[in-house]
Amino acid sequence: NTNQNEQIRGMLYYLFEYLDQNYNLPGTGLFQYISFRSALAFAFSLLISTIYGRQIIDKLRRLQVGESVRDLGLQGQNEKQGTPTMGGIIIILATLVPVFLVARLDNIYIVILIVTTIWMGAIGFIDDYIKVFKKNKEGLKGRFKIVGQVTLGIFVGLMLYFNPGVVVKEKLPQKEVSQMLELQVPTNKFGEAHKSTKTTIPFVKNNEFDYASLIKWMGDWTENYVWLLFVLVVIFIITAVSNGANLTDGIDGLAAGSSAVIVLTLAIFAWVSGNIIFADYLNVMYIPESGEMTIFISAFVGGLVGFLWYNAYPAQVFMGDTGSLTIGAVIAVLALSVRKEFLIPILAGIFLAENLSVVLQVSYFKYTKRKFGEGRRIFLMSPLHHHYQKRGYHESKIVTRFWIVGIMLAVISILTLKVR
């Protein structure tokens, strides 16, 4: 008596829907609400990451999956030698299990996020495996990482552009709304759902930008090729953010804590964009079905917080590339899905600063070596958090201050909903 779509929903979602429709049991209707399922996903994820996380860490220690630390002359560095790595497995499992249980698996955004998590988790796992078991400190060659990120970017870009489930509803002009009200025609102030390459520019009135406008000046024939431009943008964003998260994972608790703040902020954007009442009130683009991502994000935050229990100073486990590459890719896909990718430089400002510090350091060193015969440095060491370690700051103080900056950036990002 069920159709195919009903059969691929989350297991508990389908069970409670069946009980509600057939037996009308008290409380079974709660699964209709994203808020309830999000809270449940967070609780499940937190329990999995804290309870089973301990067992996974012990298993990694028995397998001697320990971090091999290079001597960079940093305070407290030698004590980290042998600490279990590949702890990103904890975050991934703690995220996916609740998602499969309570999320709607027929939702295209959930499908994309699941694929992103598994795909980048696999690439990171291979990289960590080569470092630990093959005793190769370089890990997976950079070109293979790039191929993996580009492949994921192509998949995400094509799904977001071509899949019929990815649509938006834009606000109708006020004049048109007034005419409909005068004629007593019911309206929710939004037009028909349609495909769009529009995104949002923060702090700007009438703040929508269409990627198609970048090539539209070349002629009408470009309409058939906008998807190529969009896919390139997606590839760039996923690659940049995942590498930024990877660079940020250098001291205990920094990447996990910063990422939890970022994805929690993206949950607010997903909730607002997927709710027609809030979208109307805040005058933002309404993205049908995008609110379901709140459940994935809640599970992801639970996994990050539970992992942080063991990753806070002094760390009992490191996430490795298994976790950091996955975190960055998930953040990028979430921002793209809610049409807030232009907010990434602000919201993920910690990642941007870490990325830029490495680019500036390497570029300036090469430039001065070519010009003066001796390479010079801007920072004492890059990425940026190592610069502060070199200056004598304890890593727990660095992490706490980076978190504070991350929270400030998150607040600024949320303000873009009203400040334009």
Side-chain angles (χ1 to χ4, degrees):
N1 296 324
T2 59
N3 58 38
Q4 185 178 1
N5 282 341
E6 287 176 329
Q7 291 173 352
I8 61 174
R9 294 176 188 174
M11 287 180 279
L12 290 181
Y13 182 97
Y14 175 68
L15 172 62
F16 277 78
E17 184 183 55
Y18 175 81
L19 293 174
D20 183 48
Q21 291 177 354
N22 292 275
Y23 299 100
N24 197 27
L25 295 177
T28 52
L30 283 172
F31 263 68
Q32 298 174 22
Y33 300 100
I34 289 176
S35 55
F36 175 77
R37 288 187 286 133
S38 295
L40 205 58
F42 177 81
F44 280 165
S45 179
L46 192 59
L47 287 172
I48 292 170
S49 56
T50 51
I51 296 173
Y52 292 99
R54 175 75 269 169
Q55 298 179 26
I56 292 173
I57 293 169
D58 292 340
K59 181 69 174 179
L60 292 172
R61 185 173 281 110
R62 287 195 296 271
L63 293 172
Q64 296 183 337
V65 184
E67 181 78 7
S68 180
V69 179
R70 289 183 297 175
D71 187 9
L72 300 175
L74 298 171
Q75 184 180 5
Q77 185 184 27
N78 293 332
E79 286 80 354
K80 298 179 186 292
Q81 185 74 30
T83 303
T85 187
M86 288 188 179
I89 296 171
I90 298 171
I91 301 171
I92 293 172
L93 289 177
T95 301
L96 292 181
V97 172
V99 167
F100 280 115
L101 285 174
V102 302
R104 289 182 60 121
L105 302 182
D106 55 350
N107 182 287
I108 183 59
Y109 297 107
I110 295 295
V111 172
I112 293 173
L113 286 167
I114 289 173
V115 172
T116 298
T117 303
I118 295 173
W119 181 257
M120 289 307 295
I123 292 173
F125 181 85
I126 293 170
D127 184 51
D128 289 334
Y129 182 87
I130 293 172
K131 288 177 183 176
V132 173
F133 293 101
K134 301 297 181 182
K135 307 301 180 184
N136 183 347
K137 293 183 180 180
E138 298 300 320
L140 186 66
K141 292 186 182 297
R143 62 176 179 269
F144 292 122
K145 284 186 186 179
I146 295 296
V147 168
Q149 291 165 332
V150 169
T151 304
L152 177 63
I154 292 172
F155 167 78
V156 173
L158 293 176
M159 292 293 281
L160 290 177
Y161 188 88
F162 287 108
N163 191 280
V166 180
V167 293
V168 301
K169 283 188 175 184
E170 299 176 51
K171 290 292 288 282
L172 295 171
Q174 187 59 43
K175 183 178 179 181
E176 189 173 335
V177 173
S178 299
Q179 290 174 347
M180 294 174 74
L181 291 174
E182 287 176 8
L183 296 171
Q184 297 183 341
V185 177
T187 175
N188 61 12
K189 301 181 183 180
F190 284 94
E192 294 295 323
H194 65 280
K195 302 295 294 182
S196 175
T197 53
K198 287 186 177 181
T199 188
T200 307
I201 304 176
F203 298 113
V204 177
K205 195 172 184 178
N206 301 320
N207 59 342
E208 292 178 358
F209 171 77
D210 195 342
Y211 288 113
S213 63
L214 294 175
I215 58 174
K216 193 175 182 179
W217 60 272
M218 298 171 64
D220 293 338
W221 62 271
T222 57
E223 292 181 5
N224 297 323
Y225 299 96
V226 175
W227 67 273
L228 286 172
L229 174 64
F230 182 72
V231 168
L232 288 175
V233 170
V234 172
I235 290 171
F236 172 77
I237 292 173
I238 287 177
T239 303
V241 181
S242 59
N243 286 335
N246 195 23
L247 290 172
T248 305
D249 182 35
I251 51 180
D252 300 350
L254 179 57
S258 301
S259 300
V261 173
I262 294 170
V263 294
L264 198 56
T265 306
L266 287 170
I268 295 172
F269 288 113
W271 179 283
V272 168
S273 299
N275 187 296
I276 196 167
I277 297 173
F278 286 120
D280 178 40
Y281 171 70
L282 294 168
N283 194 27
V284 298
M285 193 183 299
Y286 171 48
I287 309 172
E289 303 298 328
S290 64
E292 193 73 15
M293 286 189 288
T294 311
I295 295 162
F296 182 96
I297 295 171
S298 297
F300 197 58
V301 172
L304 288 169
V305 172
F307 175 79
L308 194 57
W309 182 271
Y310 300 107
N311 184 238
Y313 181 85
Q316 298 170 263
V317 65
F318 299 138
M319 67 172 66
D321 283 11
T322 306
S324 59
L325 289 176
T326 304
I327 287 171
V330 166
I331 289 172
V333 171
L334 286 170
L336 285 160
S337 298
V338 295
R339 317 283 171 133
K340 296 293 186 292
E341 61 268 30
F342 285 176
L343 259 181
I344 289 176
I346 301 173
L347 178 57
I350 299 295
F351 294 174
L352 178 63
E354 298 279 24
N355 249 334
L356 285 178
S357 67
V358 173
V359 172
L360 291 173
Q361 184 89 320
V362 173
S363 301
Y364 187 70
F365 185 87
K366 289 182 178 179
Y367 168 75
T368 53
K369 188 172 185 179
R370 198 165 51 244
K371 187 172 183 178
F372 304 109
E374 181 184 11
R376 300 175 184 177
R377 293 174 173 82
I378 301 173
F379 305 100
L380 296 176
M381 183 180 288
S382 64
L384 187 60
H385 55 264
H386 287 325
H387 168 77
Y388 291 106
Q389 279 187 286
K390 282 287 189 179
R391 290 189 61 182
Y393 289 92
H394 193 277
E395 63 180 280
S396 60
K397 176 171 283 192
I398 298 170
V399 169
T400 303
R401 289 184 174 177
F402 271 52
W403 286 355
I404 293 171
V405 172
I407 292 169
M408 292 169 59
L409 294 173
V411 171
I412 293 171
S413 299
I414 294 169
L415 286 176
T416 62
L417 288 170
K418 292 295 287 184
V419 180
R420 302 178 210 158

